[in-house]
Amino acid sequence: MKRNWGLAAVIFAFIVAYQFFVLGPYSKKQIPPVVVQTSEQTNNQKTEALANTEAVTSTGIIPPALPQSNTQSNTQAKEIPAANSFKATEISAPFKISLGSQRSVVSGERGVLKSAILEDFFPLHGKKDDKKELLNDGISIQSTNPKVQNCINSMQRISESPVTLQGASDGGKCEVVFAADQDHRSLLNAKITLDGFSSEVGEIYLRASDSLGSQVVTDQNFLTYSVDSSKKSLREKELFIGSRFSGKVDWLAWGDRYFSTIFIPKGKYNPAIFTDGQTADIKDLNSKSSFGIIYPLNPEKIQGAFSYDYSIYFGTRDPRVLEEIDPVLVESVDLGFFSIVARAMLWALHFLNKLFGNYGISIIALTVIVRLAFWPLNRKAYASSIAMKNIQPEVLKIKEKYGKDSSKAVQMNSEMMALYKKNKVNPLGGCLPMLLQIPIFIGLYGALNHSIDLYGAPFFGWIQNLSDKDPYYVLPALWTVSLIGYMQLNPQATASQPGMPDMKWMFMGMNIFFGYLSASWPAGLTLYLFVSNLVGVTQQVMMKRESNKLSVIQEGA
């Protein structure tokens, strides 16, 4: 009886681990706005900012408030101005910057960077001739200072290569330069230069807006950032809470599981990260979160010109590509709890594809290799479970001998251990080998669920995109059948005892439920699950036959 309850507990623990470690930590809780320290320069400008509040407000631009912070250094925290408090930047004429073969960034009339088009990729759903577009509402340059904002609004394009925009207002000049990185595809280098604004206060915003947190879970649209080498992801309700995060900003990334846009600060000035906290219904697919990075205006109170340098990556979440740009960017690829294992599996998958030239066949080969590698452990676990089954009558006799008398628990456990030692049985022998395999299989799951190599990759027949779901649900159905078949080969695991629920039907319901969930999973993932289970069933049959032969020999002896 206790054995079945223990088995049920293990199953429940697996479901919980699946939810938190495989699908990812999709937090549902509300969090308060984060108050962090601003830069030392911003703190020194507090008095000037308060003195100029009336003048700034008269322009129609809402300045950030400066409430008192509880930090020991007595620095100030600021509320993030709403997106509609800024006037959109007007560009005199659109321009196009090539970021490598079949990659481009295109400007629009109401933003510095309007859209990023990846002409060698197509949407999973929609017209086949549509190009993959990363930006939703573009990335704009804005300022809380009216003079600087007027200068930005007046910018005109004066150069094609590199693309250079210049403006002038209120005795000051501003310039923005965009240039494709010559060493890395999909990377855009940018510089903002201000001259003649040395007495001004405020901030420079690089603001983006996108539909994050409102898509289905498998799209995994979220905002991720790294500050002081510590990574954090904002999901669902957290995206719509006004927050500011400061420290050494390494990068800010957003997108889905295959593509991302990444801010990469450079130069000597360190920005902060913000979210706007706009009111939106996260269940609405059109809800958009506004976020970006903030530079302090006049960071050093210098006379003359000063510049902010940064790069923006528009491309795939491919660890190989990101590592070439900067190894720290690899952390922006969310491969789950066992990310180290997942990266190793991605490397192996890529290597196998060089041999077979088909990612579907490569997935099958990798799955078989992993299963064969764990064959000795599986045999040991199976042999241990058979040994435990054989001594079960003696175990029950010992339990009946001592009953429920807690005062004799130590004596009963001592006798049980003597029984295990006599029969050379380890009660954990069937569990430990399986636990050792969990990181490998979850890592492989994460790799296949996020591999850009599978995006648009055909297998054969009706499966022409391994990153999309099986259109006819053949693989999910086969996986479900294999789950049920595996259960039938282990009747001892589902056996019921008097007073206990029928474990067989409990397992049956769980298998059907998992099969239902897999209907929307990528075909490459369900192919792996089916092949893995098929190999597992084959191994189970072989071990069972081997065990039956051994029993016949022992009975004959």
Side-chain angles (χ1 to χ4, degrees):
M1 180 175 180
K2 291 183 178 180
R3 179 176 177 272
N4 286 336
W5 279 114
L7 184 61
V10 170
I11 295 169
F12 177 76
F14 173 78
I15 295 174
V16 172
Y18 173 86
Q19 175 67 28
F20 284 93
F21 295 147
V22 177
L23 293 182
Y26 292 91
S27 173
K28 298 288 184 180
K29 63 182 180 179
Q30 289 274 5
I31 61 173
V34 177
V35 178
V36 298
Q37 295 182 3
T38 61
S39 65
E40 181 181 354
Q41 293 80 10
T42 304
N43 184 46
N44 293 336
Q45 294 167 0
K46 176 190 65 174
T47 304
E48 295 181 42
L50 291 174
N52 286 279
T53 298
E54 182 177 354
V56 175
T57 306
S58 65
T59 66
I61 301 177
I62 303 175
L66 297 172
Q68 184 68 29
S69 170
N70 293 324
T71 58
Q72 293 181 354
S73 60
N74 198 31
T75 54
Q76 308 300 318
K78 299 182 179 181
E79 297 178 0
I80 307 300
N84 58 11
S85 67
F86 296 99
K87 181 180 178 182
T89 304
E90 298 292 342
I91 301 302
S92 58
F95 57 84
K96 181 176 181 179
I97 305 175
S98 176
L99 297 181
S101 176
Q102 295 184 312
R103 300 287 172 93
S104 62
V105 177
V106 183
S107 78
E109 296 180 355
R110 294 185 60 80
V112 174
L113 296 176
K114 178 59 180 176
S115 61
I117 308 297
L118 306 185
E119 297 182 345
D120 48 348
F121 289 96
F122 303 92
L124 284 180
H125 308 288
K127 297 180 180 179
K128 291 186 177 181
D129 57 346
D130 287 345
K131 304 297 189 298
K132 180 67 180 180
E133 183 176 358
L134 297 190
L135 297 182
N136 193 317
D137 285 345
I139 301 175
S140 59
I141 300 175
Q142 304 165 345
S143 177
T144 54
N145 184 283
K147 294 182 179 180
V148 176
Q149 184 64 43
N150 288 337
C151 187
I152 294 173
N153 290 341
S154 69
M155 285 195 300
Q156 302 288 327
R157 180 160 53 91
I158 64 169
S159 173
E160 290 285 351
S161 182
V163 172
T164 304
L165 302 102
Q166 289 185 351
S169 177
D170 301 296
K173 299 178 181 179
C174 54
E175 179 182 83
V176 179
V177 179
F178 295 112
D181 192 281
Q182 299 301 312
D183 299 321
H184 301 102
R185 185 184 182 197
S186 302
L187 189 65
L188 181 70
N189 296 323
K191 174 182 285 190
I192 302 172
T193 301
L194 300 177
D195 189 4
F197 298 103
S198 57
S199 62
E200 301 301 326
V201 295
E203 293 173 317
I204 295 288
Y205 281 63
L206 297 178
R207 182 186 298 274
S209 179
D210 216 333
S211 298
L212 302 179
S214 57
Q215 307 296 313
V216 295
V217 172
T218 50
D219 285 339
Q220 299 181 3
N221 288 6
F222 56 92
L223 188 71
T224 307
Y225 63 87
S226 176
V227 175
D228 294 327
S229 301
S230 178
K231 173 185 170 183
K232 179 175 174 56
S233 295
L234 301 181
R235 307 173 190 266
E236 299 182 347
K237 294 180 180 179
E238 292 177 320
L239 289 166
F240 301 96
I241 297 176
S243 306
R244 181 182 291 215
F245 311 93
S246 70
K248 176 61 176 66
V249 177
D250 303 308
W251 48 263
L252 170 68
W254 70 96
D256 57 27
R257 61 184 171 185
Y258 295 117
F259 302 94
S260 65
T261 303
I262 307 177
F263 276 131
I264 311 167
K266 294 184 176 181
K268 62 180 180 179
Y269 300 132
N270 182 61
I273 294 173
F274 75 92
T275 59
D276 262 355
Q278 296 178 341
T279 302
D281 183 3
I282 64 172
K283 296 181 180 179
D284 181 4
L285 296 181
N286 295 319
S287 292
K288 297 174 183 177
S289 176
S290 186
F291 49 86
I293 61 177
I294 313 168
Y295 284 102
L297 192 61
N298 269 342
E300 295 181 354
K301 287 288 184 179
I302 62 175
Q303 300 295 324
F306 52 93
S307 301
Y308 306 100
D309 296 271
Y310 59 94
S311 294
I312 308 178
Y313 171 79
F314 304 98
T316 60
R317 288 188 187 270
D318 189 335
R320 296 161 299 185
V321 174
L322 295 174
E323 187 171 17
E324 290 181 0
I325 298 174
D326 191 335
V328 301
L329 299 180
V330 176
E331 291 299 320
S332 67
V333 183
D334 188 3
L335 295 175
F337 189 75
F338 298 104
S339 59
I340 296 178
V341 178
R343 291 191 185 102
M345 293 296 104
L346 283 175
W347 179 88
L349 183 65
H350 184 67
F351 174 79
L352 289 171
N353 189 64
K354 291 181 179 179
L355 299 177
F356 299 108
N358 184 297
Y359 273 104
I361 298 176
S362 301
I363 289 172
I364 295 174
L366 180 59
T367 306
V368 173
I369 291 172
V370 171
R371 274 290 187 176
L372 290 178
F374 283 107
W375 169 252
L377 284 176
N378 289 331
R379 288 187 64 185
K380 185 176 180 180
Y382 186 79
S384 180
S385 64
I386 292 297
M388 283 294 296
K389 181 182 177 183
N390 292 336
I391 66 171
Q392 197 64 24
E394 297 181 57
V395 171
L396 292 176
K397 287 181 181 180
I398 295 175
K399 290 182 177 180
E400 291 175 359
K401 176 181 176 181
Y402 293 97
K404 298 182 179 180
D405 190 349
S406 59
S407 64
K408 299 181 179 180
V410 175
Q411 188 176 353
M412 182 184 71
N413 291 334
S414 178
E415 193 168 337
M416 293 276 282
M417 294 304 295
L419 176 65
Y420 294 148
K421 185 176 181 180
K422 176 184 176 182
N423 291 273
K424 298 180 180 180
V425 174
N426 184 355
L428 300 178
C431 298
L432 290 178
M434 301 303 296
L435 291 175
L436 292 175
Q437 299 179 49
I438 289 178
I440 301 297
F441 287 109
I442 293 183
L444 184 54
Y445 178 102
L448 294 176
N449 198 33
H450 295 80
S451 175
I452 187 61
D453 294 321
L454 304 185
Y455 193 89
F459 181 27
F460 78 94
W462 72 98
I463 301 179
Q464 294 299 311
N465 188 348
L466 286 167
S467 65
D468 204 357
K469 66 180 182 179
D470 185 332
Y472 301 109
Y473 309 108
V474 175
L475 290 174
L478 290 175
W479 180 52
T480 305
V481 171
S482 69
L483 286 172
I484 296 173
Y486 194 88
M487 180 191 71
Q488 296 298 326
L489 289 174
N490 293 271
Q492 68 273 13
T494 58
S496 299
Q497 295 181 5
M500 289 289 294
D502 195 333
M503 299 294 290
K504 177 180 178 180
W505 295 109
M506 177 180 173
F507 273 77
M508 182 75 73
M510 286 182 55
N511 292 335
I512 294 175
F513 176 69
F514 278 123
Y516 169 76
L517 291 179
S518 68
S520 61
W521 295 349
L525 181 59
T526 51
L527 175 63
Y528 148 68
L529 292 171
F530 167 63
V531 173
S532 179
N533 232 36
L534 186 63
V535 176
V537 168
T538 303
Q539 291 177 339
Q540 193 77 5
V541 171
M542 294 175 63
M543 288 186 292
K544 192 170 185 180
R545 287 180 179 178
E546 183 179 341
S547 176
N548 291 338
K549 289 180 180 180
L550 182 61
S551 298
V552 171
I553 293 173
Q554 291 175 342
E555 290 175 2

